Amino acid sequence: MEYDDKVKNRLKRIEGQIKGILRMMEENKDCKDVITQLSASRTAIDRTIGVIVSANLVECIRQMEDSETRTQEDIVKEAVDLLVKSR
């Protein structure tokens, strides 16, 4: 699977968030503020996982037409398993 620039940019933003959280910790910022930013980062990661799994699912369904070794049901189950595993 090829990862487009949008997904890579999402991860770069998350990287910036994480660096910001580390900076907050070094500056002894309030626990609530740190937790809020950690939660925002986790949400961004979860959404990125969803975007990647979704794009992969679409690609697998398209490729399925070329190969009959896997059914749509198998492909969808694999995608759901990936999402469940990510939690």
Side-chain angles (χ1 to χ4, degrees), residues 40-75:
S41 297
R42 180 174 54 196
T43 299
I45 290 170
D46 288 342
R47 288 183 178 168
T48 303
I49 290 169
V51 167
I52 291 171
V53 169
S54 174
N56 186 55
L57 178 59
V58 168
E59 185 61 29
C60 287
I61 295 292
R62 285 187 187 140
Q63 289 177 0
M64 193 186 88
E65 296 169 0
D66 300 334
S67 170
E68 296 186 23
T69 58
R70 295 168 50 190
T71 66
Q72 281 186 352
E73 184 177 322
D74 292 336
I75 294 169

Side-chain angles (χ1 to χ4, degrees), residues 3-4 11 16 34 50 61 71 81-82 85:
Y3 300 97
D4 65 8
L11 289 174
V34 171
I61 295 292
T71 66
D81 288 345
L82 282 172
K85 198 180 294 186

